[in-house]
Amino acid sequence: MTLALGVLISGGGTNLQAILDAVREGRLDADVKVVISNVEGAFGLERARQAGVETLVINHRQFESREAFDEALIAALKEHGVEYVALAGFMRVLRGRFLEEFRDRTINIHPSLLPAFPGVDAQKQAFDYGVRFAGCTVHFVEPTVDSGPIITQRVVPVLEGDTSETLRQRILAEEHVAFVEALRWISEGRVQIEVGPSGRRVTRILPPAVSE
Ligand code: GAR
């Protein structure tokens, strides 16, 4: 199935670039319908334009309430025929109506091994804590911040001489792999959500279909 994808960004957009590259190179069956930034001038918008993808700025500051901002996002995404939403460094929390509208179709990348270190500056939180291994998580979005069924995670070591910045870069390189892989599994219809032993919703990744 070709994923009709909308990508939400707030910044540089290296994860967006990884998605655009994978689509262009035939490694991901997706059609990026629109890239929306809540920040004017975010470099990711330029990346989208370079790839010939339509862009929009929807600045949260121009809305009276969180709800009104969410409604504007929903309307823009629907107008562009988006079915799945990738949060690629989108620094606003989405809940309520948005997650009802795109329930189990909103996918986030977070730069830690969730449930450790949710929230902002996750890489620095992990570094400052003194972890030996860090990483990233791709997950379906639920209303609690940085939570929801995990699709995939990738682990990196913390090395002697690291700073939180070198660790951030090592994690970021793995994010690019993880995000594309998770989206590819979804496009292949291989990601199922089910209720795990503790009652928490978890994913099951089905094996690839065997071609004749
Ligand atoms: C990435 O590290 C992403 O995981 C993080 O923002 C960065 C965006 O980089 N997202 C979060 O922290 C969300 N909680 P990018 O713009 O180069 O893709």
Side-chain angles (χ1 to χ4, degrees):
M1 157 184 76
T2 302
L3 284 187
L5 200 61
V7 184
L8 304 190
I9 61 163
S10 300
T14 65
N15 278 288
L16 164 67
Q17 189 69 59
I19 293 169
L20 293 170
D21 290 349
V23 171
R24 194 190 62 232
E25 292 163 12
R27 291 181 285 115
L28 173 62
D29 186 9
D31 182 1
V32 182
K33 302 280 189 190
V34 65
V35 170
I36 303 177
S37 172
N38 65 313
V39 176
E40 206 123 7
F43 185 67
L45 292 167
E46 184 53 34
R47 295 179 188 273
R49 280 185 216 111
Q50 292 281 335
V53 173
E54 207 175 315
T55 61
L56 279 176
V57 174
I58 302 182
N59 183 344
H60 58 279
R61 294 205 180 86
Q62 285 165 0
F63 294 85
E64 290 176 350
S65 64
R66 190 178 276 282
E67 288 72 27
F69 172 64
D70 288 5
E71 287 299 337
L73 285 178
I74 294 168
L77 291 166
K78 288 182 116 180
E79 214 168 278
H80 285 83
V82 168
E83 282 165 19
Y84 286 82
V85 182
L87 306 182
F90 184 66
M91 297 308 195
R92 303 293 301 171
V93 175
L94 296 169
R95 342 185 133 87
R97 275 268 301 127
F98 189 97
L99 295 182
E100 272 166 35
E101 198 67 51
F102 290 100
R103 183 178 157 81
D104 298 340
R105 291 184 294 132
T106 304
I107 302 113
N108 182 45
I109 181 119
H110 183 76
S112 77
L113 296 171
L114 290 172
F117 312 118
V120 291
D121 274 340
Q123 308 94 325
K124 185 166 185 307
Q125 289 185 54
F127 183 80
D128 290 350
Y129 198 93
V131 300
R132 295 287 179 250
F133 292 92
C136 62
T137 304
V138 184
H139 65 98
F140 289 110
V141 177
E142 283 183 350
T144 312
V145 175
D146 295 325
S147 75
I150 289 172
I151 305 168
T152 193
Q153 296 184 302
R154 289 180 80 88
V155 178
V156 303
V158 179
L159 302 177
E160 193 61 40
D162 261 346
T163 60
S164 63
E165 178 54 25
T166 56
L167 181 61
R168 187 188 70 78
Q169 287 168 10
R170 191 173 306 120
I171 294 170
L172 189 61
E174 295 305 315
E175 290 184 38
H176 300 157
V177 179
F179 214 172
V180 168
E181 184 169 59
L183 292 171
R184 183 166 53 77
W185 289 345
I186 294 169
S187 78
E188 292 170 350
R190 292 171 52 200
V191 182
Q192 280 184 358
I193 299 177
E194 57 186 40
V195 178
S198 68
R200 174 179 289 284
R201 286 178 353 118
V202 297
T203 65
R204 178 192 295 272
I205 310 300
L206 304 176
V210 183
S211 53
E212 299 287 302

